[in-house]
Short mmCIF file of all heavy atoms in Angstrom, two decimals:
data_model
loop_
_atom_site.label_atom_id
_atom_site.label_comp_id
_atom_site.label_asym_id
_atom_site.label_seq_id
_atom_site.Cartn_x
_atom_site.Cartn_y
_atom_site.Cartn_z
N ALA A 116 -3.77 6.26 23.16
CA ALA A 116 -3.69 6.51 21.69
C ALA A 116 -3.25 5.14 21.09
O ALA A 116 -2.20 4.87 20.73
CB ALA A 116 -2.55 7.52 21.39
N GLN A 117 -4.25 4.29 20.93
CA GLN A 117 -4.13 2.83 20.65
C GLN A 117 -3.52 2.91 19.19
O GLN A 117 -2.65 1.87 18.94
CB GLN A 117 -5.40 2.16 20.64
CG GLN A 117 -5.90 2.01 22.02
CD GLN A 117 -5.03 1.10 22.87
OE1 GLN A 117 -4.57 -0.03 22.50
NE2 GLN A 117 -4.76 1.60 24.06
N ASN A 118 -3.72 3.74 18.24
CA ASN A 118 -3.29 3.62 17.05
C ASN A 118 -1.73 3.91 16.85
O ASN A 118 -1.11 3.77 15.85
CB ASN A 118 -4.03 4.55 15.93
CG ASN A 118 -5.34 3.96 15.60
OD1 ASN A 118 -5.83 2.96 16.02
ND2 ASN A 118 -6.10 4.75 14.70
N ALA A 119 -1.22 4.38 17.96
CA ALA A 119 0.20 4.80 17.97
C ALA A 119 1.05 3.97 18.88
O ALA A 119 2.23 4.31 19.31
CB ALA A 119 0.28 6.23 18.48
N ILE A 120 0.51 2.72 19.19
CA ILE A 120 1.32 1.88 20.11
C ILE A 120 1.69 0.64 19.21
O ILE A 120 0.93 0.08 18.58
CB ILE A 120 0.38 1.36 21.28
CG1 ILE A 120 -0.02 2.58 22.08
CG2 ILE A 120 1.03 0.23 22.15
CD1 ILE A 120 -1.03 2.29 23.30
N TRP A 121 3.03 0.37 19.20
CA TRP A 121 3.62 -0.69 18.46
C TRP A 121 4.14 -1.76 19.27
O TRP A 121 4.73 -1.60 20.26
CB TRP A 121 4.81 -0.08 17.55
CG TRP A 121 4.37 1.03 16.65
CD1 TRP A 121 4.21 2.34 16.98
CD2 TRP A 121 3.82 0.80 15.31
NE1 TRP A 121 3.80 2.97 15.89
CE2 TRP A 121 3.48 2.10 14.89
CE3 TRP A 121 3.65 -0.25 14.43
CZ2 TRP A 121 3.08 2.34 13.50
CZ3 TRP A 121 3.26 -0.03 13.21
CH2 TRP A 121 2.93 1.20 12.72
N THR A 122 3.81 -3.02 18.93
CA THR A 122 4.24 -4.26 19.59
C THR A 122 5.61 -4.65 18.96
O THR A 122 5.73 -4.83 17.72
CB THR A 122 3.33 -5.32 19.64
OG1 THR A 122 2.13 -4.85 20.22
CG2 THR A 122 3.74 -6.54 20.36
N VAL A 123 6.53 -4.96 19.86
CA VAL A 123 7.90 -5.38 19.23
C VAL A 123 8.04 -6.83 19.05
O VAL A 123 7.66 -7.64 19.99
CB VAL A 123 9.01 -4.88 20.34
CG1 VAL A 123 10.40 -5.31 19.68
CG2 VAL A 123 8.96 -3.34 20.35
N ILE A 124 8.69 -7.27 18.01
CA ILE A 124 9.15 -8.62 17.83
C ILE A 124 10.58 -8.44 17.47
O ILE A 124 11.01 -7.94 16.37
CB ILE A 124 8.46 -9.37 16.65
CG1 ILE A 124 6.90 -9.49 16.94
CG2 ILE A 124 9.04 -10.67 16.50
CD1 ILE A 124 6.09 -10.01 15.86
N ASN A 125 11.57 -8.97 18.34
CA ASN A 125 12.90 -8.78 18.16
C ASN A 125 13.59 -10.10 17.67
O ASN A 125 13.37 -11.15 18.29
CB ASN A 125 13.58 -8.37 19.62
CG ASN A 125 15.03 -7.89 19.36
OD1 ASN A 125 15.86 -8.54 18.70
ND2 ASN A 125 15.32 -6.79 20.10
N GLU A 126 14.28 -10.04 16.57
CA GLU A 126 14.83 -11.29 15.95
C GLU A 126 16.35 -11.40 16.40
O GLU A 126 16.96 -12.32 16.01
CB GLU A 126 14.90 -11.15 14.44
CG GLU A 126 13.38 -11.37 13.90
CD GLU A 126 13.35 -11.71 12.50
OE1 GLU A 126 14.45 -11.55 11.84
OE2 GLU A 126 12.36 -11.95 11.87
N GLY A 127 16.79 -10.43 17.25
CA GLY A 127 18.29 -10.50 17.61
C GLY A 127 19.06 -9.61 16.73
O GLY A 127 18.61 -9.27 15.66
N ASN A 128 20.29 -9.20 17.23
CA ASN A 128 21.19 -8.40 16.38
C ASN A 128 20.51 -7.01 16.02
O ASN A 128 20.82 -6.44 14.98
CB ASN A 128 21.58 -9.11 15.03
CG ASN A 128 22.32 -10.41 15.37
OD1 ASN A 128 23.16 -10.46 16.26
ND2 ASN A 128 22.07 -11.46 14.53
N ASN A 129 19.67 -6.56 16.87
CA ASN A 129 19.03 -5.38 16.82
C ASN A 129 18.23 -5.18 15.58
O ASN A 129 18.07 -4.02 14.98
CB ASN A 129 20.06 -4.12 16.76
CG ASN A 129 20.69 -4.15 18.08
OD1 ASN A 129 20.21 -4.22 19.18
ND2 ASN A 129 22.15 -4.05 18.11
N ARG A 130 17.55 -6.35 15.14
CA ARG A 130 16.57 -6.31 13.94
C ARG A 130 15.29 -6.64 14.56
O ARG A 130 15.09 -7.59 15.35
CB ARG A 130 16.99 -7.43 13.06
CG ARG A 130 18.32 -6.91 12.17
CD ARG A 130 18.71 -7.81 11.11
NE ARG A 130 19.78 -7.33 10.40
CZ ARG A 130 20.31 -7.96 9.12
NH1 ARG A 130 19.76 -9.01 8.75
NH2 ARG A 130 21.29 -7.23 8.50
N VAL A 131 14.31 -5.85 14.19
CA VAL A 131 12.91 -5.93 14.77
C VAL A 131 11.78 -5.87 13.75
O VAL A 131 12.00 -5.34 12.67
CB VAL A 131 12.68 -4.90 15.76
CG1 VAL A 131 13.71 -4.94 16.98
CG2 VAL A 131 12.79 -3.40 15.17
N HIS A 132 10.67 -6.47 14.11
CA HIS A 132 9.37 -6.04 13.44
C HIS A 132 8.59 -5.34 14.40
O HIS A 132 8.53 -5.59 15.68
CB HIS A 132 8.70 -7.46 13.03
CG HIS A 132 9.59 -8.40 12.24
ND1 HIS A 132 9.48 -8.32 10.83
CD2 HIS A 132 10.35 -9.44 12.49
CE1 HIS A 132 10.21 -9.18 10.40
NE2 HIS A 132 10.73 -9.89 11.38
N LEU A 133 7.83 -4.40 13.86
CA LEU A 133 6.81 -3.63 14.71
C LEU A 133 5.47 -3.62 14.13
O LEU A 133 5.28 -3.41 12.95
CB LEU A 133 7.33 -2.15 14.83
CG LEU A 133 8.65 -1.86 15.30
CD1 LEU A 133 8.98 -0.38 15.20
CD2 LEU A 133 8.75 -2.21 16.83
N HIS A 134 4.48 -3.96 14.99
CA HIS A 134 3.20 -4.11 14.45
C HIS A 134 2.16 -3.40 15.42
O HIS A 134 2.33 -3.32 16.67
CB HIS A 134 2.59 -5.46 14.11
CG HIS A 134 2.46 -6.27 15.39
ND1 HIS A 134 1.20 -6.29 16.08
CD2 HIS A 134 3.16 -7.26 16.04
CE1 HIS A 134 1.20 -7.20 17.10
NE2 HIS A 134 2.41 -7.72 17.03
N ASN A 135 1.12 -2.79 14.84
CA ASN A 135 -0.12 -2.23 15.51
C ASN A 135 -1.36 -3.10 15.26
O ASN A 135 -1.78 -3.03 14.16
CB ASN A 135 -0.29 -0.73 15.15
CG ASN A 135 -1.49 -0.04 15.76
OD1 ASN A 135 -2.52 -0.29 15.38
ND2 ASN A 135 -1.24 0.59 16.91
N ASP A 136 -1.78 -3.89 16.13
CA ASP A 136 -2.86 -4.72 15.94
C ASP A 136 -2.75 -5.54 14.61
O ASP A 136 -3.55 -5.59 13.71
CB ASP A 136 -4.20 -3.90 15.85
CG ASP A 136 -5.34 -4.74 15.96
OD1 ASP A 136 -5.33 -5.83 16.51
OD2 ASP A 136 -6.45 -4.23 15.55
N LEU A 137 -1.45 -6.22 14.37
CA LEU A 137 -1.05 -7.02 13.40
C LEU A 137 -0.85 -6.30 12.06
O LEU A 137 -0.77 -6.90 11.06
CB LEU A 137 -2.08 -8.18 13.23
CG LEU A 137 -2.20 -9.05 14.45
CD1 LEU A 137 -3.24 -10.25 14.16
CD2 LEU A 137 -0.79 -9.69 14.84
N ASN A 138 -0.99 -4.96 12.03
CA ASN A 138 -0.61 -4.13 10.89
C ASN A 138 0.90 -3.85 11.08
O ASN A 138 1.24 -2.93 11.87
CB ASN A 138 -1.40 -2.88 10.82
CG ASN A 138 -2.79 -3.18 10.40
OD1 ASN A 138 -3.11 -3.72 9.35
ND2 ASN A 138 -3.73 -2.79 11.34
N TYR A 139 1.74 -4.49 10.23
CA TYR A 139 3.34 -4.31 10.35
C TYR A 139 3.81 -3.22 9.65
O TYR A 139 3.49 -3.01 8.45
CB TYR A 139 3.82 -5.66 10.02
CG TYR A 139 3.70 -6.76 10.85
CD1 TYR A 139 2.60 -7.51 11.00
CD2 TYR A 139 4.80 -7.19 11.66
CE1 TYR A 139 2.41 -8.60 12.00
CE2 TYR A 139 4.67 -8.26 12.52
CZ TYR A 139 3.51 -8.98 12.75
OH TYR A 139 3.33 -10.00 13.61
N LEU A 140 4.55 -2.47 10.34
CA LEU A 140 5.33 -1.38 9.62
C LEU A 140 6.24 -2.02 8.62
O LEU A 140 6.82 -2.98 8.81
CB LEU A 140 6.13 -0.71 10.73
CG LEU A 140 6.81 0.71 10.23
CD1 LEU A 140 5.86 1.72 9.89
CD2 LEU A 140 7.78 1.22 11.37
N ALA A 141 6.13 -1.38 7.39
CA ALA A 141 7.03 -1.95 6.37
C ALA A 141 7.58 -0.80 5.37
O ALA A 141 7.04 0.39 5.32
CB ALA A 141 6.23 -2.90 5.47
N ILE A 142 8.65 -1.14 4.69
CA ILE A 142 9.09 -0.39 3.57
C ILE A 142 9.08 -1.11 2.32
O ILE A 142 9.72 -2.25 2.28
CB ILE A 142 10.48 0.31 3.81
CG1 ILE A 142 10.46 1.26 4.96
CG2 ILE A 142 11.12 0.81 2.55
CD1 ILE A 142 11.73 1.89 5.30
N ILE A 143 8.30 -0.78 1.34
CA ILE A 143 8.19 -1.48 0.05
C ILE A 143 8.38 -0.50 -1.10
O ILE A 143 7.80 0.50 -1.24
CB ILE A 143 6.81 -2.08 -0.08
CG1 ILE A 143 6.51 -3.13 1.08
CG2 ILE A 143 6.60 -2.84 -1.40
CD1 ILE A 143 5.00 -3.58 1.04
N SER A 144 9.52 -0.79 -1.93
CA SER A 144 9.74 0.03 -3.04
C SER A 144 9.93 1.39 -2.73
O SER A 144 9.52 2.38 -3.34
CB SER A 144 8.65 -0.11 -4.10
OG SER A 144 8.56 -1.52 -4.47
N GLY A 145 10.63 1.60 -1.48
CA GLY A 145 10.96 3.09 -1.13
C GLY A 145 9.89 3.81 -0.49
O GLY A 145 9.95 5.01 -0.21
N GLN A 146 8.72 3.07 -0.13
CA GLN A 146 7.56 3.79 0.51
C GLN A 146 7.27 3.08 1.94
O GLN A 146 7.18 1.91 1.91
CB GLN A 146 6.43 3.64 -0.36
CG GLN A 146 6.56 4.40 -1.77
CD GLN A 146 6.77 5.79 -1.61
OE1 GLN A 146 6.18 6.56 -0.81
NE2 GLN A 146 7.59 6.40 -2.54
N THR A 147 7.06 4.03 2.82
CA THR A 147 6.75 3.44 4.18
C THR A 147 5.16 3.21 4.28
O THR A 147 4.38 4.03 3.81
CB THR A 147 7.13 4.41 5.34
OG1 THR A 147 8.51 4.56 5.23
CG2 THR A 147 6.75 3.97 6.67
N GLN A 148 4.85 2.10 4.76
CA GLN A 148 3.38 1.69 4.81
C GLN A 148 3.17 0.61 5.79
O GLN A 148 4.16 0.20 6.56
CB GLN A 148 2.94 1.18 3.38
CG GLN A 148 3.80 0.16 2.82
CD GLN A 148 3.56 -0.09 1.30
OE1 GLN A 148 2.71 -0.80 0.92
NE2 GLN A 148 4.20 0.78 0.49
N VAL A 149 1.99 0.00 5.90
CA VAL A 149 1.78 -1.12 6.75
C VAL A 149 1.26 -2.39 6.01
O VAL A 149 0.64 -2.20 4.85
CB VAL A 149 0.85 -0.90 7.91
CG1 VAL A 149 1.38 0.06 8.96
CG2 VAL A 149 -0.56 -0.23 7.34
N MET A 150 1.61 -3.53 6.42
CA MET A 150 1.11 -4.80 5.79
C MET A 150 0.45 -5.64 6.89
O MET A 150 0.90 -5.74 8.01
CB MET A 150 2.26 -5.61 5.21
CG MET A 150 3.14 -4.84 4.18
SD MET A 150 4.53 -5.80 3.66
CE MET A 150 3.81 -7.20 2.80
N TYR A 151 -0.68 -6.09 6.59
CA TYR A 151 -1.36 -6.85 7.55
C TYR A 151 -0.95 -8.39 7.46
O TYR A 151 -1.05 -8.98 6.36
CB TYR A 151 -3.00 -6.88 7.45
CG TYR A 151 -3.64 -7.69 8.44
CD1 TYR A 151 -3.89 -7.26 9.78
CD2 TYR A 151 -4.17 -8.98 8.06
CE1 TYR A 151 -4.67 -8.03 10.64
CE2 TYR A 151 -4.78 -9.80 8.96
CZ TYR A 151 -4.98 -9.27 10.26
OH TYR A 151 -5.69 -10.09 11.21
N PHE A 152 -0.63 -8.97 8.55
CA PHE A 152 -0.46 -10.52 8.66
C PHE A 152 -1.20 -11.01 9.86
O PHE A 152 -1.16 -10.55 10.98
CB PHE A 152 1.07 -10.76 8.91
CG PHE A 152 1.83 -10.36 7.72
CD1 PHE A 152 2.55 -9.19 7.68
CD2 PHE A 152 2.02 -11.19 6.55
CE1 PHE A 152 3.26 -8.81 6.55
CE2 PHE A 152 2.77 -10.93 5.48
CZ PHE A 152 3.33 -9.64 5.45
N GLY A 153 -1.98 -12.17 9.69
CA GLY A 153 -2.78 -12.66 10.77
C GLY A 153 -1.85 -13.32 11.87
O GLY A 153 -0.64 -13.46 11.72
#
Side-chain angles (χ1 to χ4, degrees):
Q117 292 297 313
N118 285 0
I120 298 175
W121 299 89
T122 300
V123 177
I124 299 174
N125 193 316
E126 292 194 350
N128 299 323
N129 300 312
R130 292 184 171 186
V131 300
H132 303 271
L133 301 172
H134 72 86
N135 176 280
D136 197 22
L137 300 179
N138 290 299
Y139 283 77
L140 189 65
I142 290 178
I143 303 174
S144 300
Q146 300 296 325
T147 298
Q148 52 196 269
V149 288
M150 302 175 71
Y151 178 82
F152 294 93

